[in-house]
Amino acid sequence: MEKRTIASISVTCGILWIFVFQYILTTFTDLWLGFTSAFRGAYAALGPGLFAGTLLVLGGIIFGAFVFQLLTKRFEVVFTVATGLLYLATLWYVLFDRTPGARGINLDITQFGVQFASTPLDMMWNIAIFLPLGMVLQLLIKSMWKTSIVAVVLAVIVEGAQYIFSVGVFDILDILLNTVGIALGAFIISSAALDGWHFGMDRHFLTFTKSA
């Protein structure tokens, strides 16, 4: 595919993503409150309108850049590292940036059905946010069963840390969902490898190519 075609597709995806992102923010009020809380300093300095506009434009630029690099099958190392740090910061905020005080243990796996009926989006989020981590772990470990073991260990550590620091409940359901998220991410990379895709590094780029 020609680079100009790739660039036009990337710009289009970036612009369209702004509208999708805006819909997500206005539809899921908690997500918007989370953003304003996480970046409270910028929110106070810019004001609601400018903060929202900046957030949407940055989201569009990042998404467009991601699509461009995905189509060219070459990811800039700097872009990848910056995106990874942003992901880790988001993960930290979601898991630990809470007011201390909530503490407890839930080992009742039978609550899965009740929670699914009442908060399916929360459960989906617990899976989705760990997908990238599963992909990275699989690229590093290169073994599904070893990655799955690491997934369980990490999920237990996260829930244990939430309990120890009184910022959450040690919840067996969260452990299950987080493990599924990591395992699914690993499964995607493992499937790609079986289909002949190879992941490597070429100077300042992370590359993925398909064998003939």
Side-chain angles (χ1 to χ4, degrees), residues 43-109:
Y43 181 77
L46 297 175
L50 189 55
F51 176 80
T54 303
L55 190 64
L56 294 175
V57 171
L58 285 177
I61 292 173
I62 292 172
F63 186 69
F66 173 79
V67 171
F68 178 83
Q69 294 179 99
L70 182 65
L71 291 174
T72 57
K73 303 181 180 66
R74 290 160 64 88
F75 283 86
E76 285 270 6
V77 172
V78 174
F79 176 83
T80 304
V81 171
T83 305
L85 291 175
L86 180 62
Y87 167 71
L88 290 176
T90 302
L91 197 63
W92 176 268
Y93 165 74
V94 170
L95 296 175
F96 299 110
D97 189 14
R98 308 172 186 175
T99 303
R103 192 181 193 184
I105 297 177
N106 176 35
L107 301 178
D108 186 3
I109 195 67

Side-chain angles (χ1 to χ4, degrees), residues 57-185:
V57 171
L58 285 177
I61 292 173
I62 292 172
F63 186 69
F66 173 79
V67 171
F68 178 83
Q69 294 179 99
L70 182 65
L71 291 174
T72 57
K73 303 181 180 66
R74 290 160 64 88
F75 283 86
E76 285 270 6
V77 172
V78 174
F79 176 83
T80 304
V81 171
T83 305
L85 291 175
L86 180 62
Y87 167 71
L88 290 176
T90 302
L91 197 63
W92 176 268
Y93 165 74
V94 170
L95 296 175
F96 299 110
D97 189 14
R98 308 172 186 175
T99 303
R103 192 181 193 184
I105 297 177
N106 176 35
L107 301 178
D108 186 3
I109 195 67
T110 62
Q111 290 296 312
F112 185 93
V114 175
Q115 190 168 329
F116 181 78
S118 59
T119 57
L121 287 177
D122 288 345
M123 298 180 76
M124 181 195 72
W125 177 247
N126 276 336
I127 293 175
I129 197 171
F130 280 90
L131 281 171
L133 182 59
M135 293 179 179
V136 173
L137 288 175
Q138 181 63 21
L139 286 172
L140 295 174
I141 299 174
K142 301 183 182 352
S143 170
M144 270 295 296
W145 72 270
K146 289 182 180 179
T147 302
S148 298
I149 292 176
V150 172
V152 175
V153 172
L154 285 177
V156 171
I157 289 175
V158 167
E159 292 300 306
Q162 288 182 343
Y163 176 80
I164 291 172
F165 295 105
S166 298
V167 291
V169 177
F170 184 90
D171 195 337
I172 188 66
L173 298 180
D174 285 345
I175 292 175
L176 174 62
L177 295 172
N178 297 347
T179 301
V180 168
I182 296 176
L184 286 176

